[in-house]
Amino acid sequence: MKIWKIGLEIANDISDLLLNFPKHERFDLSSQISRCSVSMPSNIAEGSARKDKSFSHFLDISLGSSFELGTQLLVAKHRNYINKNNLETLEEKIEEFQRMTMGFQNSLN
């Protein structure tokens, strides 16, 4: 499933990015960013084993995590933990993920 692959790619990109975050953020912003990025492909994987209506609910959760991730990346940019180029690259991937997930979700309903 392509949306799962994009979600997994984003989670891996985030994992690499977090290696450069300050140690004092390990249990705060870094942890939140990591959890919501992993939530995106994880909820798609879990939902894929369900019926369409239930799958749609898991897609909602995955989408919510993607929007949360976008906000958290803006906070990280504000704190100078990531640069503008990294932020823009991730935002593009997240927006693609959101468009594709919403389109897929609409096809289930």
Side-chain angles (χ1 to χ4, degrees), residues 7-104:
L8 191 59
E9 182 180 321
I10 291 168
N12 288 329
D13 290 348
I14 292 294
S15 181
D16 294 341
L17 186 72
L18 292 176
L19 294 173
N20 299 317
F21 272 45
K23 298 274 187 242
H24 71 272
E25 286 289 0
R26 186 175 324 145
F27 301 109
D28 294 324
L29 186 59
S30 292
S31 178
Q32 284 185 291
I33 289 173
S34 178
R35 283 194 316 267
C36 66
S37 69
V38 170
S39 172
M40 292 164 56
S42 297
N43 275 290
I44 291 168
E46 185 174 354
S48 68
R50 311 289 176 110
K51 297 193 184 300
D52 286 355
K53 186 174 182 174
S54 184
F55 191 8
S56 184
H57 173 70
F58 281 91
L59 292 171
D60 277 337
I61 295 168
S62 184
L63 279 168
S65 293
S66 73
F67 283 99
E68 181 181 358
L69 176 60
T71 299
Q72 292 166 354
L73 290 173
L74 290 172
V75 171
K77 169 64 176 84
H78 177 76
R79 294 180 183 176
N80 295 314
Y81 299 161
I82 61 174
N83 64 40
K84 182 179 178 183
N85 187 42
N86 285 339
L87 175 63
E88 289 174 354
T89 299
L90 284 165
E91 284 178 327
E92 288 173 13
K93 285 183 181 182
I94 292 167
E95 288 170 7
E96 178 186 11
F97 173 85
Q98 291 166 343
R99 280 192 305 274
M100 292 180 66
T101 302
M102 286 182 218
F104 179 67

